[in-house]
Amino acid sequence: MFYYLNGEIALIDENIAVVDCGGVGYACHSTTYTLSKLRVGQKAKLYTHCNIREDAFDIFGFSSREELRCFQMLLGVTGVGPKAAQAILSAVSPERFTLAVMTQDEKALIAAQGVGKKLAQRIILELKDKLGSVVTEVDFSGNTAAPIPQSGSNLTLAQAALAELGYSHAEITAALKGVPIDGMTTEQIVKQCLRAMVMR
């Protein structure tokens, strides 16, 4: 189906952005995170997921492939539908969601509307192995900005979270250069690296 929609933002409403592509307005359900980055009258690219049912054809649009990937991972969790996934990613950014699962932070997920403790626990249970495996699968050896830490440290988790968000070894290594990781939390390291990537 659609991979992305690229056009002018014609309307922003509650949880919806309308993208004008060649005179056709596509209504995309979206998150607070993505909607905050959009401006009416400006061009934007939204990566999409189409949810097709007998009685509906809904398009969900996201400002980054990372957020789309998190959305699709959530849909693979038992009991999580598009609306619940949208609510979760409206409450937390893609990197915060990834860290919440990896560090088993239930409170971050419960902050989403309609998500209770049991659902948050199920999300963590079903996704933690998928995300946690990145720590051992990704080889960060070589010319890194700092010595390789013990598994489970803030830097290791930050590296794994960035890899899960789709960034390559080279991109992560380059972003880590100049980041004062001593005393920083995992989330702070991730944010500093994302900021460095955007500025390159």
Side-chain angles (χ1 to χ4, degrees):
M1 200 52 69
F2 308 127
Y3 183 68
Y4 64 76
L5 294 174
N6 192 3
E8 184 177 300
I9 302 300
L11 173 70
I12 297 176
D13 204 347
E14 186 177 0
N15 298 326
I16 286 181
V18 177
V19 186
D20 186 331
C21 299
V24 179
Y26 295 89
C28 295
H29 299 274
S30 196
T31 63
T32 301
Y33 178 82
T34 285
L35 292 177
S36 68
K37 297 177 178 294
L38 305 179
R39 298 292 181 272
V40 173
Q42 294 184 5
K43 294 200 70 174
K45 177 187 288 186
L46 295 182
Y47 296 92
T48 58
H49 173 88
C50 296
N51 184 52
I52 303 173
R53 305 191 309 273
E54 290 184 5
D55 59 344
F57 185 123
D58 294 324
I59 302 173
F60 291 81
F62 306 94
S63 62
S64 68
R65 287 178 296 177
E66 291 84 0
E67 189 176 24
L68 172 62
R69 187 177 183 189
C70 290
F71 180 80
Q72 292 173 332
M73 288 184 68
L74 278 165
L75 293 183
V77 176
T78 305
V80 178
K83 296 297 184 183
Q86 180 183 3
I88 290 169
L89 293 174
S90 285
V92 293
S93 65
E95 62 267 25
R96 186 69 188 90
F97 166 73
T98 303
L99 290 173
V101 173
M102 293 177 65
T103 59
Q104 301 184 43
D105 182 2
E106 294 176 13
K107 292 182 179 179
L109 301 180
I110 294 174
Q113 184 176 2
V115 177
K117 185 172 183 178
K118 287 186 178 180
L119 181 56
Q121 290 174 336
R122 188 183 310 134
I123 291 169
I124 291 171
L125 178 66
E126 294 190 24
L127 295 183
K128 68 179 181 180
D129 289 338
K130 294 180 181 178
L131 296 178
S133 64
V134 177
V135 175
T136 55
E137 289 177 2
V138 178
D139 178 14
F140 289 102
S141 61
N143 297 322
T144 52
I148 301 301
Q150 296 295 318
S151 178
S153 73
N154 290 344
L155 178 56
T156 299
L157 290 173
Q159 290 172 323
L162 289 165
E164 186 60 36
L165 288 170
Y167 293 102
S168 69
H169 174 168
E171 289 174 318
I172 296 170
T173 299
L176 279 169
K177 291 179 179 177
V179 175
I181 61 173
D182 289 342
M184 294 179 69
T185 65
T186 301
E187 187 173 2
Q188 288 172 333
I189 295 172
V190 170
K191 287 182 177 179
Q192 287 285 339
C193 287
L194 291 173
R195 189 174 297 114
M197 290 174 185
V198 170
M199 294 178 67
R200 288 184 184 276

